[in-house]
């Protein structure tokens, strides 16, 4: 008995620590397998491995957001350990599709993981990609999800990322789409005495109404509100078709996706309105749920043309007097920071007319692409002295006394009170501010 209690205790402890129980039972994601391989190799204590592991964990606290559908072309510097995390809202009934495609280093290994963001902000892995670098899953509850993309050590280059959503059900009236919905879930009914528990789709009388997925007919009847109705049960949900002019199925009948269940009418309390279908979805133990996201598929993402990748993965600087950085690649995104003219940032990816950027202090945001320019042309020439303190352009780099570079350097920009210089040898170095 003690053995079983101990096993249960260990399992609960792992769950409390955010560790998937299936890991304890042997199932591990490609990311975990690769990480464990690195940590058990001769490189276990090397800075390379510790940087790769640290970046993969640290990025989980990033708060960059996207709106679906989304696509970008980005760049991972093979010389540095790097990763991205993008958060997005999900709605019950959606199918989420994630796809990563290496562009410049097609044989690179990428690790793609989808996390659920809890109410406390903690992330728990829910899905991961195998060799095909794609994930497709159905959303069972509204919430916030996040996708992490990280290449293996010394690999990366240019890549593309798509995160899109689509309907999980067929539309109940063929040839129509969610644009045909005229009354939505939650709309007031009977002078506000009750709420609409479905969506209304108007169509000519006699238009076929079809099964949105495989299931079994549980009820064919007539009631005061819905008139002639059909109920079909499926995995996890039941589907309610109301105001039918006629019913063409029988109780207990198995139906397949697309089978005709009845014809559009205006029976029940719809007798004074134009013919339409009332379609509702019910979940056991929860009652009515909003059908819209089960039925709505946004326009497909147009194939994204490969942008000028010379502008990705490099420093750029603010071209105007002052610009806003935003939390989303849209003017509707919150302003997270202002930058002044010639302040420097690194462009990590492009999505339409926006850049995803990282600041020298590792803050991340989006900026409208036309507001910045490459740092190739110097702003001015400055003199270096041995009293100057310089540091490399990398995370965690410390200052060193200038005994390596001398003479003149080109000032390319600044960030806060540090100057970005290109020395006579072509190196990019940050110059420490002069103390008063």
């Amino acid at each position: 008995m003690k053995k079983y209690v101990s096993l249960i205790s260990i399992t609960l402890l792992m769950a409390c620590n955010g560790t998937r129980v299936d890991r304890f039972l042997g199932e591990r994601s490609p990311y975990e397998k690769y990480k464990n391989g690195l940590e058990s190799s001769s490189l276990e204590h090397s800075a390379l491995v510790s940087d790769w592991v640290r970046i993969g964990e640290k990025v989980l606290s990033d708060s960059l957001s996207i709106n679906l559908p989304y696509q970008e072309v980005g760049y991972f510097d093979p010389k540095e350990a790097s990763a991205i995390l993008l958060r997005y809202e999900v709605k019950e009934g959606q199918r989420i599709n994630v796809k990563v495609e290496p562009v410049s280093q097609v044989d690179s290994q990428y690790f793609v993981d989808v996390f659920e963001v809890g109410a406390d902000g903690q992330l728990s892995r829910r899905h991961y990609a195998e060799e095909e670098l794609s994930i497709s899953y159905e959303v069972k509850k509204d919430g916030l999800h996040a996708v992490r993309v990280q290449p293996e050590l010394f690999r990366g280059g240019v890549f593309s990322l798509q995160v899109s959503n689509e309907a999980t059900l067929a539309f109940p009236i063929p040839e129509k789409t969610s644009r045909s919905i005229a009354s939505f879930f939650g709309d007031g009914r009977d002078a506000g005495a009750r709420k609409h528990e479905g969506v209304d789709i108007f169509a000519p009388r006699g238009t076929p109404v079809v099964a949105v997925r495989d299931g079994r007919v549980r009820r064919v009847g007539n009631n005061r509100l819905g008139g002639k109705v059909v109920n079909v049960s499926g995995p996890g949900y039941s589907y309610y078709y109301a105001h039918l002019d006629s019913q063409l199925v029988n109780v207990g009948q198995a139906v397949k996706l697309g089978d005709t269940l009845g014809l559009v009418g205006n029976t029940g309390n719809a007798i004074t309105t134009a013919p339409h279908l009332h379609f509702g979805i019910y979940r056991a133990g929860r009652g009515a749920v909003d059908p819209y996201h089960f039925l709505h598929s946004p326009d497909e993402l147009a194939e994204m043309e490969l942008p000028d990748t010379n502008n990705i993965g490099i420093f750029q600087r603010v071209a105007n007097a002052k610009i806003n950085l935003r939390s989303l690649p849209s003017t509707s995104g919150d302003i997270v920071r202002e930058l002044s003219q010639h302040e420097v940032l690194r462009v990590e990816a492009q999505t339409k007319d926006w850049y995803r950027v990282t600041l020298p202090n590792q803050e991340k945001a989006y900026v409208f692409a036309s507001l910045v320019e490459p740092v190739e042309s110097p702003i001015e020439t400055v003199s270096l002295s041995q009293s100057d303190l310089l540091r490399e352009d990398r995370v965690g780099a410390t200052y060193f006394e200038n005994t390596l570079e001398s003479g003149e350097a080109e000032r390319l920009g600044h960030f806060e009170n540090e100057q970005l210089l290109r020395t006579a040898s072509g190196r990019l170095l940050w110059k420490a501010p002069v103390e008063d």
Side-chain angles (χ1 to χ4, degrees), residues 90-308:
V90 296
K91 296 293 185 179
E92 182 178 7
Q94 291 177 326
R95 177 179 296 280
I96 305 298
N97 300 307
V98 180
K99 182 179 181 181
V100 173
E101 185 175 355
V103 176
S104 62
Q105 295 186 4
V106 296
D107 58 343
S108 295
Q109 184 176 7
Y110 281 75
F111 305 99
V112 186
D113 298 273
V114 168
F115 299 85
E116 181 181 356
V117 184
D120 58 358
Q122 294 297 307
L123 275 67
S124 54
R125 183 186 285 109
R126 288 291 177 258
H127 311 278
Y128 52 78
E130 299 287 358
E131 292 182 1
E132 68 276 10
L133 298 183
S134 63
I135 301 171
S136 184
Y137 64 96
E138 292 187 18
V139 178
K140 299 301 183 184
K141 65 177 180 178
D142 295 356
L144 187 64
H145 289 187
V147 57
R148 179 182 63 189
V149 182
Q150 183 171 8
E152 62 182 316
L153 277 172
F154 305 120
R155 306 295 285 173
V158 180
F159 68 95
S160 66
L161 167 66
Q162 288 190 355
V163 187
S164 60
N165 61 287
E166 63 181 353
T168 53
L169 299 178
F171 207 74
I173 298 181
E175 309 303 326
K176 290 187 176 289
T177 69
S178 57
R179 293 186 181 88
S180 302
I181 294 174
S183 182
F184 293 87
F185 184 85
D187 287 349
R189 290 291 188 271
D190 296 338
R194 62 185 180 89
K195 298 292 185 182
H196 194 213
E197 292 190 349
V199 294
D200 290 342
I201 307 156
F202 286 81
R205 185 183 307 278
T207 300
V209 172
V210 303
V212 295
R213 72 183 309 169
D214 295 353
R216 187 170 296 277
V217 178
R218 294 303 183 191
R219 180 171 178 247
V220 176
N222 201 318
N223 63 57
R224 181 181 62 83
L225 292 178
K228 294 180 180 180
V229 302
V230 171
N231 285 82
V232 177
S233 64
Y237 298 93
S238 63
Y239 308 100
Y240 177 67
Y241 306 78
H243 305 318
L244 300 175
D245 190 64
S246 58
Q247 301 131 308
L248 304 178
V249 288
N250 299 309
V251 173
Q253 180 179 338
V255 294
K256 294 291 187 181
L257 169 67
D259 285 352
T260 300
L261 306 177
L263 304 177
V264 170
N266 63 340
T267 55
N269 69 349
I271 192 67
T272 60
T273 65
H276 67 277
L277 169 70
H278 170 93
F279 177 73
I281 300 178
Y282 294 83
R283 185 170 179 177
R286 284 183 47 198
V289 298
D290 188 351
Y292 181 79
H293 297 287
F294 290 78
L295 302 174
H296 174 64
S297 289
D299 293 337
E300 289 188 13
L301 286 168
E303 186 172 347
M304 186 174 180
E305 294 184 7
L306 197 64
D308 183 358

Side-chain angles (χ1 to χ4, degrees), residues 317 376-384 388 406-413 419-424 431:
R317 66 189 176 214
E376 188 62 30
S377 301
I379 299 169
E380 62 178 344
T381 300
V382 298
S383 297
L384 284 176
D388 290 330
S406 61
E408 293 185 337
E410 297 172 330
R411 185 169 75 87
L412 304 179
Q419 303 294 323
L420 178 64
L421 306 178
R422 182 168 55 214
T423 67
K431 179 184 174 183

